[in-house]
């Protein structure tokens, strides 16, 4: 699986957009980008995934660069409840049951 | 739906003891997985199953056994607990593209 690189931590103001970067320069053509988050030691929660097109759902948007070597998760209006560790994971489609979680980015949303 | 349930929530074991962590899901998912999470780290895959009767090893399988006799249940057995197995254990079931995680079992081995 392609490795991912994320910043260790970042702060965001409540109500503002949070942009979380992820580098995955060795991603292969059949690998998807998944994002999960983990709030205060709860089980991780799926956010969004994508292959090459930008994706949006009720939680977030995922922007993948044209060369697919990096992506950005966007939380459009961060709230205090979005404070969590965010994981960017690259994995072949269909293999989502054996994900490899790195250290992630600790996002702190401040009032 | 209850989703993915795990019992117990907390457990303290002495070195050398054995125990089973229970995991159940009511979503009829074929795929299930066990992960462990050590302090300040991401999750690491222990074992996984792609259906009843089929299991395979993940990244850190040593010291753990699993079985999958039904679609619903996927227990994790610690054969002889060691302090290095002190961790939080998460069970998950999957239906592409999403993994659904349980609340975790916090295990301390003294």
């Amino acid at each position: 699986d392609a490795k991912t690189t994320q910043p260790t931590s970042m702060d965001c103001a409540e109500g503002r957009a949070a942009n979380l970067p992820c580098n995955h320069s060795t991603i292969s053509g059949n690998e998807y980008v998944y994002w999960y988050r983990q709030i205060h030691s709860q089980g991780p929660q799926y956010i969004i995934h994508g292959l090459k097109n930008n994706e949006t759902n009720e939680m977030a948007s995922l922007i993948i660069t044209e060369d697919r070597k990096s992506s950005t998760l966007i939380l459009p209006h961060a709230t205090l409840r979005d404070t969590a560790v965010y994981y960017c994971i690259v994995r072949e489609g269909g293999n989502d049951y054996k994900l490899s979680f790195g250290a992630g980015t600790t996002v702190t949303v401040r009032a | 739906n209850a989703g993915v349930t795990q019992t117990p929530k907390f457990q303290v074991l002495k070195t050398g003891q054995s125990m089973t962590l229970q995991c159940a899901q009511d979503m009829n998912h074929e795929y299930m997985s066990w992960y462990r999470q050590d302090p300040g780290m991401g999750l690491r895959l222990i074992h996984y199953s792609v259906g009843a009767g089929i299991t395979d090893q993940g990244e850190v399988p040593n010291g753990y056994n699993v079985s999958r006799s039904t679609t619903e249940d996927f227990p994790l057995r610690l054969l002889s607990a060691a302090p290095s197995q002190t961790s939080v254990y998460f069970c998950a079931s999957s239906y592409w593209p999403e993994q659904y995680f349980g609340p975790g079992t916090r295990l301390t081995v003294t």
Side-chain angles (χ1 to χ4, degrees):
Chain A
D1 301 325
K3 289 191 176 179
T4 61
T5 304
Q6 299 178 251
T8 303
S9 64
M10 59 186 298
D11 285 0
C12 174
E14 188 178 21
R16 305 295 293 269
N19 296 304
L20 283 65
C22 180
N23 287 323
H24 32 78
S25 58
T26 61
I27 192 170
S28 60
N30 60 347
E31 288 183 316
Y32 285 73
V33 180
Y34 298 88
W35 282 85
Y36 279 76
R37 73 180 183 183
Q38 187 174 26
I39 297 173
H40 193 240
S41 300
Q42 297 176 17
Q45 175 190 24
Y46 166 86
I47 301 173
I48 199 166
H49 77 286
L51 184 61
K52 47 186 175 182
N53 296 326
N54 298 338
E55 303 287 345
T56 295
N57 63 19
E58 65 278 4
M59 289 182 68
S61 295
L62 175 60
I63 308 298
I64 302 174
T65 58
E66 193 167 341
D67 64 7
R68 303 210 321 126
K69 291 185 178 182
S70 66
S71 59
T72 301
L73 179 74
I74 301 172
L75 307 177
H77 304 287
T79 70
L80 299 179
R81 292 167 59 180
D82 292 322
T83 292
V85 178
Y86 287 77
Y87 299 100
C88 171
I89 302 164
V90 170
R91 190 74 190 185
E92 278 186 31
N95 283 343
D96 58 292
Y97 54 91
K98 42 181 181 174
L99 298 177
S100 181
F101 289 77
T105 297
T106 299
V107 174
T108 303
V109 181
R110 302 192 187 279
Chain B
N1 284 353
V4 179
T5 58
Q6 293 184 239
T7 55
K9 286 188 169 53
F10 300 94
Q11 183 70 49
V12 179
L13 290 179
K14 294 187 189 308
T15 297
Q17 287 184 318
S18 62
M19 79 159 295
T20 299
L21 278 62
Q22 301 292 343
C23 174
Q25 53 98 2
D26 62 357
M27 297 173 282
N28 203 32
H29 291 166
E30 290 296 322
Y31 301 117
M32 297 186 73
S33 311
W34 274 103
Y35 295 85
R36 61 176 286 175
Q37 184 173 34
D38 299 330
M41 298 181 65
L43 283 71
R44 291 184 292 169
L45 183 65
I46 304 172
H47 285 284
Y48 62 94
S49 169
V50 299
I54 306 170
T55 64
D56 206 347
Q57 297 181 350
E59 182 186 354
V60 288
N62 291 343
Y64 307 95
N65 272 357
V66 291
S67 60
R68 185 96 180 272
S69 56
T70 67
T71 300
E72 294 77 21
D73 300 301
F74 190 39
L76 178 72
R77 296 184 188 84
L78 278 71
L79 308 173
S80 176
S84 61
Q85 294 179 304
T86 293
S87 190
V88 181
Y89 291 83
F90 290 101
C91 177
S93 72
S94 300
Y95 187 80
W96 196 82
E98 187 171 345
Q99 274 203 309
Y100 301 81
F101 285 83
T105 293
R106 190 173 297 273
L107 176 68
T108 302
V109 183
T110 61

